[in-house]
Amino acid sequence: MPVAGLHDLLIKELHDIYSAEKQIIAALPKMIDLAIDEKLKTGLTTHLEQTRMQVERLDAIHAELGISHDTRIVCEGMRGIIAENEISLQEIQDSHTKDAAIIAGAQKVEHYEIAVYGSLSTWAHEIGNDTIADLFEATLTEEKQADTLLTKVAQGGLLMTGVNEKAADSIETG
Amino acid sequence: MPVAGLHDLLIKELHDIYSAEKQIIAALPKMIDLAIDEKLKTGLTTHLEQTRMQVERLDAIHAELGISHDTRIVCEGMRGIIAENEISLQEIQDSHTKDAAIIAGAQKVEHYEIAVYGSLSTWAHEIGNDTIADLFEATLTEEKQADTLLTKVAQGGLLMTGVNEKAADSIETG
């Protein structure tokens, strides 16, 4: 579709992130199933619920802008991130290394979203729509919190032994 | 390739980010050509030089680990991010909206790298290789700085008028 200004660009990116969120909702249950560490499993399960709420927030933004969903659009960035993570998980043999790869994959997902929601909230302010800017910022804050939580799990801040230390141990013993 | 532990996972992700950096070096000149805002053009040009240095840092990490490059591996996440940005830029009609889209695309690139270099530095510490951990962290710091600079350009902090304000104006006049 032709993009005639910042308002159009915002709508285009909105369709893109809507596709991304739907792909995340489809991918997270598989990651939750494979995760061994309880803190990681719980964190991802909470984030799945949060992602469903974020899609509702996107529905509200579509309504506010008076536009329909465009489900023909597939977010290629998220498709690539999820595909490479799923292939990676198939190749890993021990559970704790799988946990480390799940965290890395989830952080790629979070950072993609942090970039997009950051741009969307900036653009929403620029076109003078503070209502949707606030909604984008609410999701942006959640994504940053989810990323921080994943870093803590990876670095062992939330665990007796960090996921990655367990994976490193498996090199010694495996 | 089978991944037997965290050391293998680190090598796998190293091949992935090496492919990502090469894709960025191929994509940035097109973005620099299209950019209108001088601060943005200069920032992207500086980042292209920095990316070439980051590839040299990856070469040093390969040498430290005693491994060769695996150029068969294509980073699918970066491929998707760059593809969607290039398609988006073809659809945009005015220059200032193009600048806004270039910044958004570049921030997706930066955030992908922030996620990956964050995981790589954590894993390098866990496997006890502080030499490569330091190299990953040097790049991580640069990527975060590049992202902060792009946010400032988008929000107008470095400009008399922000790129996105100009794009919003084009809705009124265009």
Side-chain angles (χ1 to χ4, degrees), chain A residues 12 84 91 112 126 165, chain B residues 12 84 91 112 126 165:
Chain A
K12 187 179 163 55
E84 74 188 16
E91 292 167 341
Y112 184 91
E126 299 284 350
E165 278 174 42
Chain B
K12 187 180 161 56
E84 71 188 19
E91 293 167 339
Y112 183 92
E126 299 284 349
E165 277 173 43

Side-chain angles (χ1 to χ4, degrees), chain A residues 53-70:
Chain A
M53 299 283 286
Q54 290 169 354
V55 169
E56 288 180 19
R57 216 173 265 146
L58 290 179
D59 290 339
I61 291 166
H62 280 78
E64 167 71 19
L65 291 169
I67 58 166
S68 309
H69 295 96
D70 188 344

Side-chain angles (χ1 to χ4, degrees), chain A residues 1-9 12-13 16 74-81 83-84 87-89 91-94 97-98 100-101 103-105 107-109 111-112 114-116 118-119 122-123 126-127 147 151 154-156 162-168 170-171, chain B residues 1-9 12-13 16 74-81 83-84 87-89 91-94 97-98 100-101 103-105 107-108 111-112 114-116 118-119 122-123 126-127 147 151 154-156 162-168 170-171 174:
Chain A
M1 70 178 188
V3 174
L6 200 57
H7 183 271
D8 283 5
L9 184 63
K12 187 179 163 55
E13 200 68 37
D16 182 87
V74 175
C75 172
E76 283 300 314
M78 190 55 66
R79 202 201 52 70
I81 288 168
E84 74 188 16
I87 291 164
S88 181
L89 288 172
E91 292 167 341
I92 299 172
Q93 292 163 353
D94 74 285
T97 307
K98 251 182 197 147
I103 292 171
Q107 289 196 289
K108 288 179 189 174
V109 168
H111 273 281
Y112 184 91
I114 290 167
V116 173
S119 295
T122 301
W123 298 342
E126 299 284 350
I127 65 169
D147 179 61
T151 298
Q155 292 180 344
V163 165
N164 290 331
E165 278 174 42
K166 286 183 194 160
S170 75
I171 299 168
Chain B
M1 70 179 187
V3 174
L6 199 58
H7 183 269
D8 283 5
L9 184 62
K12 187 180 161 56
E13 200 69 36
D16 181 88
V74 175
C75 173
E76 284 299 314
M78 191 56 65
R79 202 201 52 71
I81 287 168
E84 71 188 19
I87 291 166
S88 181
L89 288 173
E91 293 167 339
I92 298 171
Q93 294 162 353
D94 74 285
T97 307
K98 247 179 202 153
I103 293 172
Q107 289 196 290
K108 288 179 188 174
H111 273 280
Y112 183 92
I114 289 167
V116 172
S119 294
T122 301
W123 297 342
E126 299 284 349
I127 66 169
D147 179 61
T151 298
Q155 294 179 343
V163 165
N164 289 331
E165 277 173 43
K166 286 183 194 161
S170 75
I171 298 167

Side-chain angles (χ1 to χ4, degrees), chain A residues 9-117:
Chain A
L9 184 63
L10 184 148
I11 289 173
K12 187 179 163 55
E13 200 68 37
L14 181 63
H15 292 317
D16 182 87
I17 197 67
Y18 188 80
S19 158
E21 295 286 16
K22 290 284 189 179
Q23 291 182 56
I24 295 164
I25 288 172
L28 270 173
K30 284 176 264 182
M31 294 164 78
I32 293 166
D33 274 352
L34 286 172
I36 296 294
D37 181 86
E38 278 305 318
K39 286 275 190 320
L40 177 56
K41 220 182 234 305
T42 307
L44 292 173
T45 305
T46 304
H47 194 61
L48 177 56
E49 284 313 307
Q50 205 169 36
T51 305
R52 291 196 177 110
M53 299 283 286
Q54 290 169 354
V55 169
E56 288 180 19
R57 216 173 265 146
L58 290 179
D59 290 339
I61 291 166
H62 280 78
E64 167 71 19
L65 291 169
I67 58 166
S68 309
H69 295 96
D70 188 344
T71 51
R72 295 164 305 177
I73 292 175
V74 175
C75 172
E76 283 300 314
M78 190 55 66
R79 202 201 52 70
I81 288 168
I82 290 173
E84 74 188 16
N85 193 236
E86 288 183 350
I87 291 164
S88 181
L89 288 172
Q90 286 165 11
E91 292 167 341
I92 299 172
Q93 292 163 353
D94 74 285
S95 305
H96 297 305
T97 307
K98 251 182 197 147
D99 276 359
I102 289 168
I103 292 171
Q107 289 196 289
K108 288 179 189 174
V109 168
E110 293 313 316
H111 273 281
Y112 184 91
E113 295 188 278
I114 290 167
V116 173
Y117 282 109

Side-chain angles (χ1 to χ4, degrees), chain A residues 147-160:
Chain A
D147 179 61
T148 302
L149 184 78
L150 287 163
T151 298
K152 283 185 184 163
V153 177
Q155 292 180 344
L158 289 181
L159 305 167
M160 290 296 286

